[in-house]
Amino acid sequence: MQRWPILFMVPAQALLFHQVDQSQAPACPMDSAGPSWGIWIDGKNASEGEQAYGAAYSKLMRRALLEVYRMQQKHVSTEVAAMRVQHLLHMPFLDKFGGLFDTKKAPGRNFRRAFECIQREVPQQFVTSMLQTDIDDVYDVTCLPSKPCRSPLLPLRHTLEQVFKSYHSKMAKAKLEDEKLRLLASLLKNLALLHPLPDRNGRSRLLLLQFELRRLGLACGTMLFNNNNNIYVDSVSVLAAKIKEGIAMYNRAVSTGVNPWLGSQRQTFPSSPYAKELSRCYEGHSANRGHGLSIE
Ligand SMILES: *[C@@H]1O[C@H](CO)[C@@H](O)[C@H](O)[C@H]1NC(C)=O
């Protein structure tokens, strides 16, 4: 197995100095080798190894991740990175309109189908937290509990511009790391709810997440337990906490050279208080039951 660069083994003295001056912080690893596969294979599937989702997927992600790191070094903007990520995944915009609740496309279908049931089965406050973020929301939460109703259709480019604008203006004022993580989680949630790409929305968000963590100087990466399925049902607080957990796992991967989710007991996140109701809703409505649909 390839080892990660020596770059990270900086002397303690240097670390002390770097703590004072963030801009001089030791550089993040610039390669996507070694245990970095834990970035695109979620922790829940780590035991199935690097090829859990197929060799082609791993090859594509390894290459795309490297390009994401390079873009960050060149100080590319979030928006440009987001556009470029689509091309790296061979999935440029094809549509003028988006919106998870207003599209007939397959992606997000399981949550869309389960949503009516979720509204019925879990308290409204909990449902609201699925749609409400710290930035301008793609869907109008005041329309609940009947249905999200800002649309009929969300013009993609305009909505994306609004989402990024709101994200950046809040980020410019954020001081605490936790605030910034919440804003990042808010961006990802809104992108998931907007669902701008015909496919590969999840992996495109995953790459953008790695990009933003570096751009904001929050971390060099994150290895999440679940890359996608929980994004709709988790609140911003829970998502932010999971990104934080992933950062700790990434750091452990860098220092040990192995995927830390292997053999992990995962005690940090007990299942959601409405896990039973949520999986009942998913089971009743999903096209392909039991295939990576766990809401955990
Ligand atoms: C990944 O993990 C989930 C949840 O444990 C499981 O249902 C799925 O079959 C696993 N493998 C793949 C390839 O999704």
Side-chain angles (χ1 to χ4, degrees):
M1 187 197 284
Q2 252 179 298
R3 303 293 299 185
W4 281 33
I6 296 298
L7 206 61
F8 247 70
M9 298 178 169
V10 286
Q13 221 181 337
L15 271 177
L16 218 61
F17 168 75
H18 292 314
Q19 267 170 3
V20 182
D21 186 358
Q22 273 293 318
S23 65
Q24 295 296 306
C28 291
M30 275 304 290
D31 77 318
S32 59
S36 54
W37 60 269
I39 290 174
W40 62 86
I41 303 293
D42 8 26
K44 70 179 163 61
N45 291 104
S47 63
E48 294 169 56
E50 184 173 350
Q51 314 292 346
Y53 302 141
Y57 174 67
S58 256
K59 198 173 159 194
L60 185 74
M61 289 302 276
R62 199 179 278 291
R63 212 180 278 171
L65 186 61
L66 195 56
E67 190 50 33
V68 161
Y69 293 161
R70 288 198 189 118
M71 282 194 289
Q72 193 278 314
Q73 274 219 322
K74 288 184 200 148
H75 303 289
V76 158
S77 72
T78 314
E79 289 83 340
V80 168
M83 292 298 285
R84 182 90 184 98
V85 157
Q86 295 168 38
H87 287 277
L88 292 169
L89 297 175
H90 314 301
M91 198 50 63
F93 291 126
L94 293 177
D95 300 316
K96 285 197 164 68
F97 299 102
L100 193 73
F101 293 101
D102 306 293
T103 176
K104 299 212 161 40
K105 287 176 287 187
R109 170 183 58 190
N110 294 323
F111 175 69
R112 189 164 57 238
R113 286 180 183 165
F115 192 64
E116 233 177 84
C117 167
I118 290 171
Q119 283 184 311
R120 211 171 43 236
E121 299 282 324
V122 305
Q124 188 182 331
Q125 202 186 357
F126 192 76
V127 179
T128 302
S129 79
M130 294 180 192
L131 303 173
Q132 198 160 43
T133 71
D134 291 3
I135 64 174
D136 288 354
D137 298 311
V138 165
Y139 280 102
D140 187 352
V141 297
T142 61
C143 285
L144 292 168
S146 55
K147 64 179 167 90
C149 51
R150 172 174 303 165
S151 26
L153 289 169
L154 297 165
L156 260 188
R157 285 201 180 272
H158 177 71
T159 313
L160 268 178
E161 273 168 28
Q162 275 189 320
V163 166
F164 279 118
K165 196 173 153 202
S166 169
Y167 168 71
H168 286 307
S169 78
K170 296 260 165 93
M171 194 60 91
K173 288 175 215 135
K175 289 193 178 68
L176 304 173
E177 184 179 308
D178 282 352
E179 264 178 273
K180 293 180 186 177
L181 284 175
R182 282 185 63 100
L183 290 169
L184 191 43
S186 298
L187 174 69
L188 298 176
K189 201 179 222 325
N190 278 302
L191 289 179
L193 289 170
L194 185 57
H195 238 74
L197 308 182
D199 200 1
R200 307 189 175 174
N201 284 274
R203 55 193 90 169
S204 123
R205 287 194 306 271
L206 186 63
L207 289 169
L208 194 62
L209 169 60
Q210 310 301 323
F211 179 88
E212 282 298 280
L213 286 175
R214 288 189 175 205
R215 187 185 72 83
L216 298 163
L218 290 172
C220 291
T222 184
M223 290 182 179
L224 302 169
F225 179 75
N226 189 326
N227 281 334
N228 277 315
N229 299 332
N230 58 318
I231 189 137
Y232 304 112
V233 294
D234 279 347
S235 66
V236 165
S237 309
V238 173
L239 281 176
K242 285 182 178 177
I243 295 172
K244 212 169 175 176
E245 174 193 50
I247 290 171
M249 291 312 237
Y250 174 92
N251 290 340
R252 219 188 288 175
V254 170
S255 61
T256 62
V258 294
N259 186 322
W261 284 114
L262 290 164
S264 158
Q265 293 305 305
R266 185 166 172 84
Q267 280 165 341
T268 324
F269 289 97
S271 57
S272 141
Y274 301 104
K276 228 186 275 168
E277 288 82 352
L278 290 174
S279 35
R280 223 180 15 242
C281 288
Y282 269 94
E283 269 164 33
H285 293 265
S286 70
N288 44 347
R289 287 176 195 206
H291 280 280
L293 293 174
S294 77
I295 45 90
E296 161 66 37

